[in-house]
Amino acid sequence: MTVTSEQRFGEFVVVRRHEGQDHVAELVLDRPKAMNAVSTDMARSIAAACDALGADRDVRATVLTSSHERAFCVGADLKERNSFSDADLVRQRPTARAAYTGVLELPMPVIAAVHGFALGGGFELALACDVIVADATAVVGLPEVSVGVIPGGGGTQLLPRRVGAARAAELVFSARRVEAAEARELGLVDELVEAGRDREKALALGARIAANSPVGLRAAKKALRLGQGLDLRAGLEVEDAAWRSVAFSGDRAEGVAAFNEKRRPDWPGE
């Protein structure tokens, strides 16, 4: 796949666009020497890249990938953390949170392409995405209690929303690692593919998603996210508000016209 543009955020994060996938952005974790362990600098770069992607109305889908052959991301940089004083840790916390929140709050659909280790904060980055595609080598888990902390990048909130409270409790309290087949069975990942094909499959899904209305995609994601945890009546109000935000848009008019004229829509994106 030919890269048509590349923008680097700091030393460890890259956003790429590819030929034939004009509306799909690839957000690459690129700290291979540390298996993408999230240092302070890397966290800052993830947040900056997400800020830029969120402001880019041309991006209809984002795919979160890794440049390391054997790992998606092994979580927080514990070597860096070992040198921290308590005051350092307090100062670093907002920067770390901004990285995970940045991925979670991207307004377009986001797909994680996971292979190898996705542990701790690495798995939390994947959980912050809307869909997780994993290959047969994937090993996921939230082992934070084994080093005296808790999942602090959204794991205690995002995991039970995926698998239920009891299953999430078992996984968090045991700190165990889960291999690919069981991860798919438990719903920790959404699609399981052959080894080495996670990125390919995730980018293909991104392209399929990006063929749809950008206005519709962002509104649908907002309704899905805001409606989680609400009772049905409140959730339907969230849905109705999202519907009203798109019902009179240029994309809605173009979509209906294209359907009736039996042609591919040319989305105005507004």
Side-chain angles (χ1 to χ4, degrees):
M1 189 176 295
T2 303
V3 176
T4 57
S5 69
E6 181 173 294
Q7 183 178 5
R8 184 165 286 277
F9 293 83
E11 186 178 354
F12 304 127
V13 176
V14 185
V15 173
R16 292 181 178 140
R17 307 290 283 272
H18 302 280
E19 185 176 0
Q21 292 194 339
D22 295 337
H23 301 291
V24 179
E26 182 181 9
L27 175 57
V28 187
L29 305 176
D30 188 33
R31 196 188 178 202
K33 291 182 180 179
M35 300 181 82
N36 289 329
V38 182
S39 64
T40 303
D41 285 346
M42 186 173 179
R44 191 175 291 115
S45 295
I46 292 170
C50 289
D51 282 346
L53 285 168
D56 189 343
R57 299 293 298 186
D58 191 52
V59 177
R60 301 178 190 172
T62 295
V63 180
L64 180 61
T65 70
S66 161
S67 65
H68 195 284
E69 293 182 357
R70 294 186 294 108
F72 175 73
C73 173
V74 294
D77 186 342
L78 296 185
K79 290 183 179 179
E80 180 188 61
R81 293 277 180 92
N82 193 47
S83 69
F84 279 5
S85 66
D86 289 352
D88 292 333
L89 191 59
V90 169
R91 281 192 293 268
Q92 195 246 14
R93 177 62 175 163
T95 301
R97 284 196 70 186
Y100 300 104
T101 303
V103 176
L104 185 64
E105 294 185 350
L106 281 169
M108 76 291 290
V110 185
I111 306 150
V114 173
H115 59 267
F117 297 113
L119 301 172
F123 188 39
E124 288 175 304
L125 286 172
L127 289 172
C129 299
D130 300 292
V131 179
I132 303 174
V133 176
D135 83 353
T137 70
V139 179
V140 306
L142 296 175
E144 284 87 346
V145 298
S146 70
V147 293
V149 291
I150 70 164
T156 65
Q157 305 306 304
L158 294 170
L159 188 60
R161 283 168 167 79
R162 270 188 164 267
V163 301
R167 178 64 68 192
E170 183 267 320
L171 292 165
V172 171
F173 296 159
S174 68
R176 71 184 179 96
R177 299 180 179 189
V178 182
E179 295 188 359
E182 185 185 5
R184 175 65 186 89
E185 181 182 340
L186 296 179
L188 300 175
V189 304
D190 303 301
E191 184 175 353
L192 187 59
V193 300
E194 299 90 342
R197 300 195 66 192
D198 55 297
R199 177 176 175 270
E200 170 196 344
K201 290 289 189 178
L203 286 168
L205 177 57
R208 182 176 180 179
I209 288 170
N212 297 308
S213 157
V215 170
L217 288 170
R218 291 184 180 223
K221 176 165 179 173
K222 188 173 183 179
L224 285 164
R225 286 288 177 90
L226 292 180
Q228 285 183 5
L230 300 179
D231 63 49
L232 179 58
R233 186 178 296 276
L236 289 173
E237 291 303 315
V238 168
E239 180 181 85
D240 186 64
W243 178 85
R244 291 175 185 277
S245 74
V246 300
F248 311 106
S249 67
D251 274 16
R252 197 277 308 174
E254 170 61 13
V256 172
F259 177 83
N260 284 287
E261 295 166 15
K262 296 181 172 57
R263 59 174 175 82
R264 187 184 299 274
D266 181 16
W267 304 113
E270 57 186 22

